[in-house]
Amino acid sequence: MIRYQKLGYVALNVTDIDQSRDFYENIVGLKLVEQSENGPVFFRCSRDHHNLVLYPSSTPGLKRVGLEVEDPEQLEIAYNHFKNVGLDPKFLDKEEQRALRQGKTFRIHDPNTQITFEFYSDITQMATEFQPTHTNIARLGHVVIKVPEFEKCLEFLTEVMNFKVSDYHDETLAWMRVFPNPYHHTFAIARGERHQLHHINFMVSDIDDVGRGRNRLIENEVPITFGPGRHGPSGSIFLYFQDPDNLTVEYSFEMEEFPEEKPRKAKLLERHPKTTDQWGGKPDPKFASFGYIEGAVEEVKS
Protein backbone atom coordinates (compact mmCIF):
# COMPACT_ATOMS: atom_id res chain seq x y z
CA MET A 1 0.00 0.00 0.00
CA ILE A 2 0.93 3.64 -0.39
CA ARG A 3 3.56 5.09 1.94
CA TYR A 4 3.33 8.83 2.52
CA GLN A 5 5.92 11.37 3.58
CA LYS A 6 3.51 14.06 4.73
CA LEU A 7 0.66 16.40 3.93
CA GLY A 8 2.53 18.52 1.41
CA TYR A 9 0.27 21.46 0.72
CA VAL A 10 -3.28 22.76 0.72
CA ALA A 11 -4.75 24.82 -2.13
CA LEU A 12 -7.53 27.24 -1.23
CA ASN A 13 -9.90 29.26 -3.38
CA VAL A 14 -10.23 32.86 -2.17
CA THR A 15 -12.35 35.76 -3.37
CA ASP A 16 -9.85 38.61 -2.87
CA ILE A 17 -6.35 37.40 -3.64
CA ASP A 18 -4.59 40.52 -2.34
CA GLN A 19 -6.48 40.59 0.93
CA SER A 20 -5.88 36.88 1.51
CA ARG A 21 -2.20 37.20 0.57
CA ASP A 22 -1.78 39.89 3.20
CA PHE A 23 -3.63 37.79 5.80
CA TYR A 24 -1.62 34.62 5.35
CA GLU A 25 1.67 36.49 5.20
CA ASN A 26 1.22 39.10 7.93
CA ILE A 27 -1.37 37.58 10.26
CA VAL A 28 -0.72 33.83 9.97
CA GLY A 29 3.04 34.24 9.43
CA LEU A 30 3.76 32.25 6.27
CA LYS A 31 6.57 33.15 3.87
CA LEU A 32 5.42 34.57 0.52
CA VAL A 33 7.32 32.73 -2.22
CA GLU A 34 5.83 34.01 -5.46
CA GLN A 35 2.68 35.32 -7.09
CA SER A 36 1.93 35.03 -10.78
CA GLU A 37 -0.13 37.66 -12.55
CA ASN A 38 -3.83 36.78 -12.23
CA GLY A 39 -2.76 33.41 -10.88
CA PRO A 40 -1.90 31.53 -7.73
CA VAL A 41 0.03 32.80 -4.71
CA PHE A 42 2.54 30.41 -3.14
CA PHE A 43 3.48 30.38 0.56
CA ARG A 44 5.76 28.14 2.58
CA CYS A 45 6.44 27.25 6.21
CA SER A 46 9.20 24.74 5.43
CA ARG A 47 12.04 24.21 2.95
CA ASP A 48 9.45 23.14 0.36
CA HIS A 49 8.57 25.63 -2.37
CA HIS A 50 5.00 25.76 -1.07
CA ASN A 51 2.75 24.49 1.69
CA LEU A 52 -0.21 26.75 0.92
CA VAL A 53 -1.41 27.95 -2.48
CA LEU A 54 -4.16 30.55 -2.99
CA TYR A 55 -6.22 30.70 -6.17
CA PRO A 56 -8.63 33.51 -7.13
CA SER A 57 -12.23 32.32 -7.26
CA SER A 58 -15.77 33.55 -6.73
CA THR A 59 -16.38 30.52 -4.48
CA PRO A 60 -14.08 30.30 -1.42
CA GLY A 61 -13.05 26.98 0.01
CA LEU A 62 -10.86 23.94 -0.58
CA LYS A 63 -9.44 23.51 -4.09
CA ARG A 64 -7.25 20.43 -3.57
CA VAL A 65 -4.97 18.59 -1.16
CA GLY A 66 -1.35 17.79 -2.06
CA LEU A 67 0.17 14.63 -0.56
CA GLU A 68 3.88 13.89 -0.73
CA VAL A 69 4.75 10.19 -0.96
CA GLU A 70 8.08 8.77 0.21
CA ASP A 71 9.87 8.40 -3.14
CA PRO A 72 9.35 8.03 -6.93
CA GLU A 73 8.74 4.29 -6.52
CA GLN A 74 5.86 5.02 -4.15
CA LEU A 75 4.46 7.50 -6.68
CA GLU A 76 4.29 4.76 -9.31
CA ILE A 77 2.78 2.36 -6.76
CA ALA A 78 0.12 4.94 -5.90
CA TYR A 79 -0.66 5.67 -9.56
CA ASN A 80 -1.10 2.00 -10.43
CA HIS A 81 -3.15 1.39 -7.28
CA PHE A 82 -5.63 4.16 -8.08
CA LYS A 83 -5.81 3.08 -11.71
CA ASN A 84 -6.63 -0.47 -10.66
CA VAL A 85 -9.49 0.68 -8.42
CA GLY A 86 -11.00 2.76 -11.25
CA LEU A 87 -10.19 6.30 -10.09
CA ASP A 88 -8.59 7.35 -13.40
CA PRO A 89 -5.45 9.12 -12.12
CA LYS A 90 -4.09 11.81 -14.45
CA PHE A 91 -0.48 12.98 -14.61
CA LEU A 92 0.00 16.72 -14.95
CA ASP A 93 1.64 18.04 -18.09
CA LYS A 94 5.19 19.39 -17.90
CA GLU A 95 4.04 23.02 -17.94
CA GLU A 96 1.82 22.66 -14.88
CA GLN A 97 4.47 20.64 -13.05
CA ARG A 98 6.99 23.42 -13.67
CA ALA A 99 4.49 26.03 -12.50
CA LEU A 100 4.07 24.07 -9.25
CA ARG A 101 7.86 23.55 -8.96
CA GLN A 102 7.17 19.83 -8.55
CA GLY A 103 8.45 16.67 -10.17
CA LYS A 104 6.19 14.03 -11.65
CA THR A 105 2.70 14.65 -10.26
CA PHE A 106 -0.75 13.14 -10.71
CA ARG A 107 -4.26 13.83 -9.41
CA ILE A 108 -7.39 11.89 -8.64
CA HIS A 109 -10.88 13.12 -7.81
CA ASP A 110 -12.46 11.16 -4.98
CA PRO A 111 -16.23 10.90 -5.54
CA ASN A 112 -16.73 10.13 -1.83
CA THR A 113 -15.11 13.15 -0.16
CA GLN A 114 -15.35 15.17 -3.41
CA ILE A 115 -11.72 16.20 -2.92
CA THR A 116 -9.11 16.43 -5.65
CA PHE A 117 -6.03 14.75 -4.20
CA GLU A 118 -2.62 15.41 -5.73
CA PHE A 119 0.38 13.09 -5.36
CA TYR A 120 4.07 13.81 -5.86
CA SER A 121 7.42 12.73 -4.44
CA ASP A 122 9.63 15.67 -5.45
CA ILE A 123 9.17 19.38 -4.85
CA THR A 124 11.68 22.20 -5.22
CA GLN A 125 13.69 22.74 -2.04
CA MET A 126 14.33 26.41 -1.40
CA ALA A 127 17.87 27.71 -0.91
CA THR A 128 17.21 28.73 2.69
CA GLU A 129 15.21 27.34 5.59
CA PHE A 130 11.88 28.91 6.45
CA GLN A 131 12.55 31.89 8.70
CA PRO A 132 9.62 32.66 11.02
CA THR A 133 8.55 36.27 11.43
CA HIS A 134 6.17 36.58 14.40
CA THR A 135 5.09 32.92 14.68
CA ASN A 136 7.30 29.82 14.88
CA ILE A 137 5.31 27.70 12.46
CA ALA A 138 6.74 24.18 12.48
CA ARG A 139 4.71 22.66 9.66
CA LEU A 140 1.44 22.46 7.81
CA GLY A 141 -0.45 20.17 10.16
CA HIS A 142 -3.73 18.84 8.84
CA VAL A 143 -6.94 19.32 6.90
CA VAL A 144 -10.43 18.50 8.18
CA ILE A 145 -13.58 18.31 6.07
CA LYS A 146 -17.28 17.65 6.60
CA VAL A 147 -19.01 14.86 4.66
CA PRO A 148 -22.62 13.63 4.56
CA GLU A 149 -21.77 9.95 3.90
CA PHE A 150 -19.37 9.43 6.77
CA GLU A 151 -19.02 5.64 6.69
CA LYS A 152 -18.47 5.51 2.93
CA CYS A 153 -15.81 8.22 3.09
CA LEU A 154 -14.04 6.57 6.02
CA GLU A 155 -13.94 3.25 4.17
CA PHE A 156 -12.41 4.93 1.11
CA LEU A 157 -9.79 6.83 3.08
CA THR A 158 -8.67 3.79 5.05
CA GLU A 159 -9.07 1.00 2.50
CA VAL A 160 -8.08 2.84 -0.69
CA MET A 161 -5.94 5.80 0.48
CA ASN A 162 -4.19 3.85 3.28
CA PHE A 163 -4.88 6.43 5.99
CA LYS A 164 -4.78 5.03 9.52
CA VAL A 165 -7.43 5.95 12.12
CA SER A 166 -5.94 7.29 15.35
CA ASP A 167 -9.19 8.01 17.26
CA TYR A 168 -12.86 8.39 16.43
CA HIS A 169 -16.35 9.29 17.54
CA ASP A 170 -18.70 6.55 16.39
CA GLU A 171 -20.08 7.53 12.94
CA THR A 172 -19.43 11.25 13.43
CA LEU A 173 -15.69 12.05 13.47
CA ALA A 174 -12.46 10.24 12.62
CA TRP A 175 -8.89 11.52 13.01
CA MET A 176 -6.41 9.87 10.62
CA ARG A 177 -2.70 9.93 9.86
CA VAL A 178 -1.19 9.45 6.41
CA PHE A 179 0.79 6.26 7.04
CA PRO A 180 3.57 6.09 8.16
CA ASN A 181 3.66 9.79 9.10
CA PRO A 182 3.62 9.71 12.93
CA TYR A 183 1.40 12.68 13.81
CA HIS A 184 -1.96 11.86 15.39
CA HIS A 185 -3.81 13.30 12.42
CA THR A 186 -3.00 14.83 9.08
CA PHE A 187 -6.55 14.39 7.82
CA ALA A 188 -9.93 14.09 9.50
CA ILE A 189 -13.57 13.85 8.52
CA ALA A 190 -16.65 14.94 10.43
CA ARG A 191 -20.25 14.15 9.59
CA GLY A 192 -22.01 17.15 8.06
CA GLU A 193 -25.00 18.02 5.92
CA ARG A 194 -22.83 18.64 2.85
CA HIS A 195 -19.26 18.36 1.62
CA GLN A 196 -17.46 21.28 3.19
CA LEU A 197 -14.09 22.45 4.42
CA HIS A 198 -13.92 22.30 8.22
CA HIS A 199 -10.47 23.85 8.79
CA ILE A 200 -6.79 23.82 7.91
CA ASN A 201 -4.07 23.70 10.57
CA PHE A 202 -0.56 24.99 11.13
CA MET A 203 1.45 23.46 13.98
CA VAL A 204 3.63 25.87 15.99
CA SER A 205 6.82 25.23 17.93
CA ASP A 206 6.02 26.97 21.22
CA ILE A 207 2.92 27.39 23.36
CA ASP A 208 3.75 31.09 23.48
CA ASP A 209 3.00 31.26 19.74
CA VAL A 210 -0.61 30.40 20.57
CA GLY A 211 -0.80 33.13 23.22
CA ARG A 212 0.90 35.77 21.08
CA GLY A 213 -1.25 34.71 18.16
CA ARG A 214 -4.41 35.29 20.14
CA ASN A 215 -3.37 38.84 21.01
CA ARG A 216 -2.30 39.59 17.43
CA LEU A 217 -5.67 38.38 16.13
CA ILE A 218 -7.52 40.57 18.63
CA GLU A 219 -5.39 43.60 17.76
CA ASN A 220 -6.13 43.10 14.05
CA GLU A 221 -9.85 42.42 14.62
CA VAL A 222 -9.62 38.86 13.26
CA PRO A 223 -12.52 36.73 14.54
CA ILE A 224 -11.47 34.00 16.98
CA THR A 225 -14.03 31.20 16.82
CA PHE A 226 -12.68 28.67 19.34
CA GLY A 227 -9.95 28.61 21.96
CA PRO A 228 -7.39 28.70 23.25
CA GLY A 229 -8.11 25.21 24.54
CA ARG A 230 -6.77 21.65 24.64
CA HIS A 231 -8.08 18.83 22.47
CA GLY A 232 -8.66 15.54 24.24
CA PRO A 233 -7.74 13.13 21.41
CA SER A 234 -4.37 14.56 20.30
CA GLY A 235 -3.48 16.57 23.41
CA SER A 236 -2.90 19.67 21.27
CA ILE A 237 -3.31 23.24 22.50
CA PHE A 238 -5.46 24.96 19.87
CA LEU A 239 -6.65 28.33 18.63
CA TYR A 240 -9.12 28.71 15.75
CA PHE A 241 -9.76 31.87 13.76
CA GLN A 242 -11.23 33.01 10.44
CA ASP A 243 -9.52 34.22 7.29
CA PRO A 244 -11.00 37.01 5.10
CA ASP A 245 -13.40 34.51 3.46
CA ASN A 246 -14.45 33.13 6.87
CA LEU A 247 -12.52 29.91 6.24
CA THR A 248 -11.35 28.45 9.54
CA VAL A 249 -7.62 28.32 10.30
CA GLU A 250 -6.01 26.73 13.35
CA TYR A 251 -2.77 27.14 15.25
CA SER A 252 -1.91 24.14 17.41
CA PHE A 253 0.95 23.19 19.71
CA GLU A 254 2.06 19.61 20.41
CA MET A 255 0.46 16.40 19.19
CA GLU A 256 0.67 12.73 20.00
CA GLU A 257 2.96 10.75 17.69
CA PHE A 258 2.53 7.11 16.65
CA PRO A 259 5.30 4.60 15.91
CA GLU A 260 5.13 2.86 12.55
CA GLU A 261 5.17 -0.56 14.16
CA LYS A 262 2.84 -1.64 16.97
CA PRO A 263 0.97 1.66 17.40
CA ARG A 264 -1.75 1.81 20.02
CA LYS A 265 -5.23 0.97 18.77
CA ALA A 266 -7.65 3.73 17.89
CA LYS A 267 -9.85 4.87 20.77
CA LEU A 268 -13.61 5.21 20.52
CA LEU A 269 -14.18 8.53 22.29
CA GLU A 270 -17.27 9.81 24.06
CA ARG A 271 -19.11 12.59 22.28
CA HIS A 272 -18.70 15.16 25.02
CA PRO A 273 -17.67 18.85 25.05
CA LYS A 274 -14.57 18.03 27.09
CA THR A 275 -13.41 15.60 24.42
CA THR A 276 -13.22 18.59 22.10
CA ASP A 277 -11.85 20.98 24.72
CA GLN A 278 -10.59 19.72 28.05
CA TRP A 279 -10.62 23.30 29.31
CA GLY A 280 -14.39 23.53 28.84
CA GLY A 281 -14.52 26.13 26.06
CA LYS A 282 -17.31 26.37 23.52
CA PRO A 283 -16.95 27.22 19.82
CA ASP A 284 -18.56 30.23 18.18
CA PRO A 285 -21.44 29.28 15.81
CA LYS A 286 -19.27 30.50 12.90
CA PHE A 287 -16.58 27.95 13.73
CA ALA A 288 -15.90 25.65 10.75
CA SER A 289 -19.08 26.80 9.01
CA PHE A 290 -17.77 28.17 5.70
CA GLY A 291 -15.94 26.84 2.67
CA TYR A 292 -16.99 24.80 -0.35
CA ILE A 293 -15.00 21.89 -1.72
CA GLU A 294 -14.28 22.59 -5.38
CA GLY A 295 -16.09 20.16 -7.63
CA ALA A 296 -18.57 19.00 -5.01
CA VAL A 297 -22.16 18.52 -6.16
CA GLU A 298 -23.35 21.13 -3.66
CA GLU A 299 -21.09 23.75 -5.22
CA VAL A 300 -22.29 22.98 -8.73
CA LYS A 301 -25.94 23.33 -7.68
CA SER A 302 -25.43 26.57 -5.72
Side-chain angles (χ1 to χ4, degrees):
M1 291 295 287
I2 307 165
R3 290 179 61 89
Y4 297 94
Q5 186 71 28
K6 64 179 186 291
L7 170 63
Y9 79 90
V10 174
L12 296 179
N13 289 322
V14 299
T15 58
D16 187 324
I17 200 78
D18 292 329
Q19 186 179 27
S20 292
R21 179 194 62 208
D22 178 73
F23 177 84
Y24 283 98
E25 180 179 17
N26 297 314
I27 301 298
V28 177
L30 303 177
K31 172 68 174 178
L32 176 64
V33 178
E34 62 177 292
Q35 177 177 1
S36 58
E37 186 176 357
N38 298 319
V41 182
F42 296 88
F43 293 93
R44 67 181 176 113
C45 56
S46 70
R47 199 76 178 253
D48 294 351
H49 177 268
H50 55 272
N51 304 109
L52 178 72
V53 187
L54 305 180
Y55 288 83
S57 174
S58 60
T59 308
L62 181 65
K63 184 174 182 67
R64 65 176 177 268
V65 173
L67 297 169
E68 182 180 339
V69 297
E70 285 188 336
D71 52 41
E73 182 180 0
Q74 284 297 319
L75 189 68
E76 294 300 322
I77 289 172
Y79 178 85
N80 291 327
H81 169 66
F82 292 126
K83 186 176 181 180
N84 290 338
V85 298
L87 283 170
D88 193 25
K90 299 289 187 183
F91 279 107
L92 306 188
D93 59 35
K94 296 290 186 180
E95 183 178 354
E96 188 167 8
Q97 285 178 189
R98 283 194 294 268
L100 288 169
R101 308 296 193 269
Q102 293 170 195
K104 200 172 183 181
T105 301
F106 73 85
R107 292 177 187 151
I108 62 169
H109 180 76
D110 168 30
N112 303 287
T113 63
Q114 299 293 331
I115 290 177
T116 295
F117 287 104
E118 182 174 282
F119 301 82
Y120 59 92
S121 63
D122 296 298
I123 184 171
T124 296
Q125 298 297 289
M126 305 302 284
T128 59
E129 296 286 353
F130 168 67
Q131 296 296 323
T133 51
H134 50 62
T135 302
N136 295 298
I137 298 175
R139 64 189 60 84
L140 171 66
H142 54 262
V143 181
V144 181
I145 64 166
K146 295 179 182 180
V147 294
E149 295 182 314
F150 181 87
E151 296 86 352
K152 187 177 180 180
C153 289
L154 183 59
E155 181 180 9
F156 172 82
L157 293 168
T158 54
E159 299 299 322
V160 179
M161 294 285 286
N162 198 30
F163 292 2
K164 304 299 184 184
V165 175
S166 298
D167 292 311
Y168 63 105
H169 291 320
D170 190 26
E171 300 182 351
T172 59
L173 184 59
W175 295 268
M176 291 165 278
R177 56 197 189 276
V178 291
F179 181 82
N181 187 287
Y183 293 106
H184 180 275
H185 59 283
T186 38
F187 198 85
I189 56 172
R191 185 182 294 278
E193 295 182 358
R194 62 181 178 87
H195 295 90
Q196 180 189 320
L197 175 65
H198 191 284
H199 73 272
I200 66 170
N201 163 275
F202 296 96
M203 297 175 67
V204 299
S205 300
D206 195 309
I207 192 171
D208 290 340
D209 289 309
V210 176
R212 285 192 292 262
R214 173 186 177 276
N215 290 332
R216 183 174 61 259
L217 296 171
I218 292 172
E219 289 169 2
N220 287 276
E221 299 182 341
V222 175
I224 295 173
T225 52
F226 196 13
R230 183 185 287 276
H231 286 315
S234 64
S236 300
I237 305 295
F238 67 82
L239 178 67
Y240 294 92
F241 50 98
Q242 289 181 292
D243 84 350
D245 284 303
N246 294 319
L247 306 180
T248 298
V249 183
E250 179 191 21
Y251 282 149
S252 68
F253 169 67
E254 293 189 334
M255 178 175 280
E256 181 184 3
E257 297 184 34
F258 286 66
E260 179 175 343
E261 297 183 4
K262 298 182 179 179
R264 69 161 175 82
K265 70 175 185 178
K267 293 179 289 189
L268 172 59
L269 301 170
E270 180 187 6
R271 293 185 63 191
H272 189 279
K274 286 202 172 182
T275 300
T276 304
D277 183 7
Q278 294 182 337
W279 297 352
K282 295 181 180 179
D284 184 280
K286 294 181 180 180
F287 168 68
S289 296
F290 303 93
Y292 285 102
I293 294 176
E294 183 176 296
V297 174
E298 297 92 336
E299 179 191 354
V300 174
K301 289 181 177 179
S302 63

